[in-house]
Amino acid sequence: MTGGRFDFDDGGSYCGGWEDGKAHGHGICTGPKGQGEYSGSWAHGFEVVGVYTWPSGNTYQGYWTQGKRHGLGVETKGRWCYRGEWTHGFKGRYGLRQSLSSPARYEGTWSNGLQDGYGVETYGDGGTYQGQWAGGMRHGYGVRQSVPFGMATVIRSPLRTSLASLRSEQSNGTILHDISADSPAGTRGGFVLTFHSDTELMTGKKKGFFRRGSLLGNLKLKRSESKSSLASKRSSARSEASMSRISSANSDANSTISFGEGDSEYLPVEDHVDATTTESYMGEWKNDKRSGFGVSERSNGMKYEGEWLNNQRNGYGCTTFPDGTKEEGKYKNNILIRGKKKHLIPIRTSKIQEKVGRATEGAHRAAAIARTKVDIAASRTAHARAKADAADGAAQAARQESDIARGVARELSPTFCQPDIDVNWRDMI
């Protein structure tokens, strides 16, 4: 066997077979100062299949092409694990990423390391989003379904999502996208319908003339204030993890991580909601926010149908309350600025009614399209699960190649000793 041991100036080493001065066959290569390693099979200086361990203890087990993860493989990174396909160093096209400590997971299609196409995201409390994605964000048509109110995660900060959502940030902590929560601070994950406007939540004061149940209040509607707040924010960004190898090539690891709960500056008072109540949104999403036409509805009968912009009711729409009463008209930033409340004094609003009618029709069409996207997402999810299972087989093959490489290294250089992965982890704790 042609091979041996070569020590680099930076403290790393290669021990294994080689051909024409390049790693070939089976061998182990350690990073600078012996930190991190790749063990497995090689072909003319490039990794083929094996196990890569970062100095942090994160691992990748699977296939490579031209120095980049390509094919099937499994990446374990902190408390997250990705199983599926890789393309030129990026996650994709089909794969599954899941938390090792909660139900949080994403199953579906990927592009350039981010969720893209169709997929299903499950949050730490069990709530879900099913539908379209673009660049790691919910974008297109989709359905957000909460769990029962009593089980939903309490949102403590407007800059945090549920305990284990699948958003992402760079490894150095730099946020690439605008961070926002899935629900307003102080509410439950997936629950965005309340009887208070955003202004009331911030100040605790009533501003405007409109009051629910006030007969005379409806005569001054231009300053009216709606009684439901439909804000929804999420965070989305990207993360990167570089890989160190013989040629110090980088391999992308754009991926998603969770944000835990944080403290908020204020905690708005939540309307009384039965513990069994659930809430859903069906419609359009743009850049991770409700924008366009959509329908948000609670199982207790509360509903909003109409136009949205950046997670707020903006445009024409109709709000139905649990007691059956309604308000409809034009909204701006969650506040009803022109319209009326039904079952009270009739007001001349024929043009407004026409626009509200078109908006509610558009919301119903968007909801119907969103339901069809759910079916497509379910199909993509099935493919992603199949690829995840195949990736498990690739990881097993990688571990076998790694064991062979260690045996070859011991044979070629009995004094070569690279600690096992478990030892590396213990040393860094």
Side-chain angles (χ1 to χ4, degrees):
M1 175 185 295
T2 301
R5 175 174 177 171
F6 183 85
D7 295 323
F8 301 99
D9 293 338
D10 60 9
S13 300
Y14 172 77
C15 188
W18 64 54
E19 182 177 297
D20 296 330
K22 298 179 180 179
H24 191 79
H26 289 83
I28 299 175
C29 181
T30 65
K33 298 181 181 179
Q35 294 185 336
E37 69 161 33
Y38 169 81
S39 57
S41 58
W42 300 76
H44 306 294
F46 291 104
E47 303 93 332
V48 177
V49 56
V51 177
Y52 193 100
T53 306
W54 281 266
S56 63
N58 297 332
T59 64
Y60 170 77
Q61 305 173 20
Y63 287 88
W64 302 69
T65 296
Q66 296 296 307
K68 295 182 179 180
R69 292 173 287 183
H70 189 86
L72 293 168
V74 175
E75 178 191 66
T76 301
K77 189 175 183 181
R79 62 188 182 91
W80 294 93
C81 178
Y82 173 83
R83 301 153 53 220
E85 292 181 303
W86 296 78
T87 303
H88 303 302
F90 294 89
K91 295 179 180 68
R93 181 181 181 207
Y94 289 96
L96 182 158
R97 195 165 193 270
Q98 64 190 101
S99 169
L100 301 177
S101 58
S102 79
R105 61 199 288 139
Y106 170 81
E107 305 163 282
T109 58
W110 299 71
S111 179
N112 293 327
L114 297 171
Q115 303 98 316
D116 197 281
Y118 292 87
V120 176
E121 182 176 52
T122 302
Y123 305 99
D125 61 8
T128 61
Y129 169 80
Q130 306 174 70
Q132 292 180 292
W133 295 78
M137 296 183 286
R138 296 168 294 181
H139 190 91
Y141 292 88
V143 175
R144 172 72 164 95
Q145 177 65 56
S146 78
V147 294
F149 186 84
M151 300 171 58
T153 298
V154 177
I155 306 300
R156 296 295 183 185
S157 167
L159 299 184
R160 304 288 181 176
T161 61
S162 59
L163 282 176
S165 72
L166 293 173
R167 295 283 69 123
S168 59
E169 65 175 3
Q170 277 187 294
S171 58
N172 62 7
T174 302
I175 304 302
L176 297 181
H177 296 286
D178 180 30
I179 301 180
S180 54
D182 185 61
S183 303
T187 61
R188 304 291 180 115
F191 283 81
V192 294
L193 284 167
T194 72
F195 287 103
H196 302 286
S197 70
D198 288 346
T199 303
E200 292 172 20
L201 293 179
M202 292 296 292
T203 65
K205 298 179 181 180
K206 300 282 185 178
K207 294 185 179 181
F209 299 98
F210 182 79
R211 297 289 184 273
R212 188 179 184 202
S214 172
L215 186 63
L216 298 179
N218 290 274
L219 298 179
K220 299 181 179 181
L221 289 173
K222 288 189 177 182
R223 298 286 295 175
S224 66
E225 186 173 14
S226 71
K227 290 179 273 303
S228 61
S229 176
L230 294 160
S232 170
K233 300 181 179 180
R234 291 285 305 262
S235 64
S236 181
R238 308 187 332 183
S239 69
E240 296 181 350
S242 62
M243 296 177 58
S244 172
R245 51 182 301 277
I246 292 180
S247 61
S248 299
N250 290 328
S251 179
D252 174 84
N254 285 339
S255 58
T256 52
I257 67 173
S258 80
F259 290 110
E261 290 183 320
D263 295 329
S264 63
E265 296 181 357
Y266 65 93
L267 288 177
V269 178
E270 174 65 56
D271 295 307
H272 174 72
V273 180
D274 186 88
T276 61
T277 300
T278 60
E279 184 172 309
S280 65
Y281 171 81
M282 297 180 288
E284 292 182 273
W285 299 77
K286 294 179 182 178
N287 297 326
D288 222 36
K289 298 178 181 180
R290 294 167 174 83
S291 291
F293 292 100
V295 177
S296 183
E297 182 175 13
R298 279 188 181 175
S299 57
N300 65 2
M302 189 173 184
K303 179 193 296 186
Y304 172 72
E305 309 156 278
E307 296 178 279
W308 299 73
L309 179 65
N310 294 333
N311 294 326
Q312 295 182 323
R313 293 173 296 172
N314 205 95
Y316 291 91
C318 176
T319 300
T320 303
F321 299 99
D323 61 5
T325 59
K326 297 182 179 181
E327 66 176 26
E328 61 181 28
K330 186 176 182 179
Y331 291 85
K332 184 176 181 180
N333 298 329
N334 263 352
I335 297 174
L336 183 68
I337 60 173
R338 188 181 306 162
K340 72 172 187 175
K341 180 160 181 193
K342 291 186 176 180
H343 308 310
L344 297 177
I345 298 177
I347 298 179
R348 183 177 61 83
T349 56
S350 58
K351 291 184 179 180
I352 293 178
Q353 286 181 335
E354 290 177 4
K355 293 179 180 180
V356 168
R358 288 195 293 267
T360 55
E361 289 177 4
H364 293 158
R365 285 194 299 270
I369 294 173
R371 286 190 289 268
T372 65
K373 302 304 182 183
V374 167
D375 294 336
I376 298 174
S379 174
R380 300 294 191 271
T381 295
H383 285 294
R385 290 175 179 172
K387 293 297 183 180
D389 292 339
D392 290 337
Q396 182 178 0
R399 292 191 295 270
Q400 294 173 347
E401 293 294 294
S402 176
D403 291 340
I404 295 173
R406 294 187 185 281
V408 170
R410 284 193 297 267
E411 180 181 344
L412 293 173
S413 179
T415 60
F416 179 82
C417 180
Q418 174 69 4
D420 292 335
I421 294 175
D422 292 338
V423 176
N424 280 336
W425 284 349
R426 288 195 295 270
D427 290 342
M428 289 178 285
I429 292 177

